[in-house]
Amino acid sequence: MAHILSTGVIKRVLTKQPSLSANFSSTTNLLKDINTVTIVGAGLMGSGIVQVAAQANCKVTMVDTSDAAIANGQSIIASSLKRVARKKFAEDEQQQKQFIDKVLANITTSTQAEKAVHDADLVVEAIVENIDIKRKLFSTLDKVAPKHSIFCSNTSSLPITAIAESTSPERQQQFAGLHFFNPVPAMKLVEIVRTDTVSDEVFQSLQDFTTKVGKTPVSCKDTPGFIVNRLLVPYMFEAFRVLDRKEASIKDIDTAMKLGAGMPMGPFELADFVGLDTMKFIVDGWAKEGKIEPALVQPSKSLDDLVKEGHLGRKSGKGFYDYKK
């Protein structure tokens, strides 16, 4: 998850802005090539998107609320790039260093989101999964970003249309979901989420960008969970309910799904990796929206109890499994 974005980073610019009608033209005049990218959020997801865009020779600005958050993102990128370089160039340390230096040269950082988007072809938000904070961010950036800038959210569970509605009608034609998967440098898939208002040209630009950064794009409508999570989360929750009913153990369920269904991780291992609070947040949100069959979003006592106790998975040291041992 990206670092929580405080309201400090999304203060309204004090200088007078030109009218929205002057800021926009027809989407037929949008840039077709995305070369300058601003990523808001320097956590695991944000830093991963920064890295793959920089590896594709885009000029990237990584934004977060503090120098400490930026430093954490830089550390994540540095460690990841070392692994990529060793894999690409084996034992050639000079080529490894040249590769890393070239990628890092494409990255700048900022704690001022408004200034960081001044020449962005693409703005991607990868912050906390809070729709009000996301809407406030995009509302502010909409007033200062260039007319051609495409806006995207990396949310995995919130409705893109509801986030986009915080911007002008013109920007909503240039607003989509761009959902990368964790860990971004390794995972090949990106879901491009189409709202009813986004233009075909913007969608094509995002497809081209996704391919440029070495990923495979798939398209879906703006529905709960998009494609992957819509199928994956109910599967995982049914595993939790099997446990609730005491029909099988955590270890046996994970082993069965790995060896019987070819899954690389069992549902409990995966839940611990994702974060149990994140799993609960997604399903609670779906249940509240009422757009998914009620049987698929029934809560799990096992999950709820762990979250209540602060056992959130790998990030806290304990979830369904104990990682402190």
Side-chain angles (χ1 to χ4, degrees):
M1 296 288 288
H3 290 280
I4 294 176
L5 190 71
S6 71
T7 54
V9 91
I10 51 180
K11 290 179 181 176
R12 185 186 178 103
V13 174
L14 297 179
T15 55
K16 185 178 180 181
Q17 300 300 325
S19 68
L20 288 176
S21 60
N23 277 344
F24 287 88
S25 61
S26 168
T27 55
T28 58
N29 294 325
L30 287 172
L31 292 177
K32 291 185 179 296
D33 294 328
I34 294 173
N35 295 309
T36 58
V37 184
T38 297
I39 309 297
V40 184
L44 278 173
M45 295 302 298
S47 61
I49 301 169
V50 169
Q51 178 184 326
V52 297
Q55 285 178 209
N57 210 32
C58 292
K59 298 300 179 184
V60 191
T61 303
M62 179 169 66
V63 180
D64 214 306
T65 56
S66 67
D67 292 336
I70 293 290
N72 181 65
Q74 290 173 318
S75 177
I76 293 170
I77 292 170
S79 297
S80 179
L81 281 176
K82 287 179 182 178
R83 291 192 293 271
V84 174
R86 284 195 295 266
K87 186 175 181 179
K88 286 175 69 74
F89 303 108
E91 302 302 319
D92 192 328
E93 293 185 4
Q94 183 176 358
Q95 281 191 303
Q96 291 177 22
K97 184 178 184 304
Q98 289 175 346
F99 168 78
I100 292 171
D101 289 346
K102 182 179 179 181
V103 174
L104 293 179
N106 288 328
I107 302 172
T108 57
T109 63
S110 176
T111 55
Q112 300 180 64
E114 298 93 335
K115 292 183 179 180
V117 301
H118 74 279
D119 65 347
D121 299 329
L122 173 66
V123 178
V124 181
E125 163 273 310
I127 62 173
V128 62
E129 285 288 85
N130 181 304
I131 194 166
D132 292 331
I133 294 178
K134 291 179 189 291
R135 284 172 57 88
K136 190 170 184 179
L137 170 69
F138 280 119
S139 177
T140 300
L141 298 185
D142 183 35
K143 297 175 177 65
V144 295
K147 61 188 178 183
H148 71 269
S149 295
I150 298 171
F151 280 15
C152 289
S153 174
N154 183 61
T155 181
S156 60
S157 61
L158 297 173
I160 300 299
T161 301
I163 301 172
E165 286 172 350
S166 65
T167 65
S168 67
E170 295 88 352
R171 187 76 72 183
Q172 290 175 43
Q173 298 176 47
Q174 300 161 213
F175 204 121
L178 199 64
H179 182 216
F180 289 80
F181 289 79
N182 186 34
V184 176
M187 298 293 282
K188 293 294 186 184
L189 183 69
V190 173
E191 292 176 325
I192 303 177
V193 185
R194 299 194 67 163
T195 67
D196 292 337
T197 56
V198 69
S199 73
D200 291 340
E201 185 179 17
V202 167
F203 176 73
Q204 185 60 55
S205 292
L206 291 174
Q207 283 194 310
D208 294 343
F209 171 75
T210 301
T211 303
K212 180 178 179 179
V213 300
K215 307 302 181 185
T216 299
V218 294
S219 172
C220 60
K221 292 184 177 181
D222 185 17
T223 57
F226 313 139
I227 298 174
V228 173
N229 283 336
R230 180 63 176 267
L231 297 173
L232 184 62
V233 171
Y235 146 73
M236 294 170 71
F237 264 77
E238 185 57 24
F240 304 160
R241 289 187 284 265
V242 168
L243 178 67
D244 290 343
R245 296 191 297 264
K246 299 181 180 180
E247 294 170 351
S249 68
I250 292 171
K251 183 178 180 182
D252 284 347
I253 295 169
D254 275 353
T255 299
M257 294 311 296
K258 287 189 289 185
L259 300 185
M263 298 289 191
M265 300 174 72
F268 296 99
E269 293 172 315
L270 181 57
D272 278 353
F273 179 77
V274 170
L276 303 190
D277 53 338
T278 301
M279 298 296 304
K280 177 174 170 55
F281 174 83
I282 291 173
V283 164
D284 286 352
W286 287 359
K288 186 176 180 180
E289 289 175 14
K291 294 181 179 180
I292 293 181
E293 296 83 348
L296 297 180
V297 292
Q298 288 298 308
S300 160
K301 185 177 186 304
S302 299
L303 178 73
D304 288 348
D305 288 347
L306 286 169
V307 172
K308 185 186 242 183
E309 294 165 7
H311 302 318
L312 308 180
R314 286 182 176 271
K315 61 186 175 184
S316 69
K318 184 177 180 181
F320 286 107
Y321 292 94
D322 189 344
Y323 300 93
K324 294 178 181 177
K325 294 180 180 179

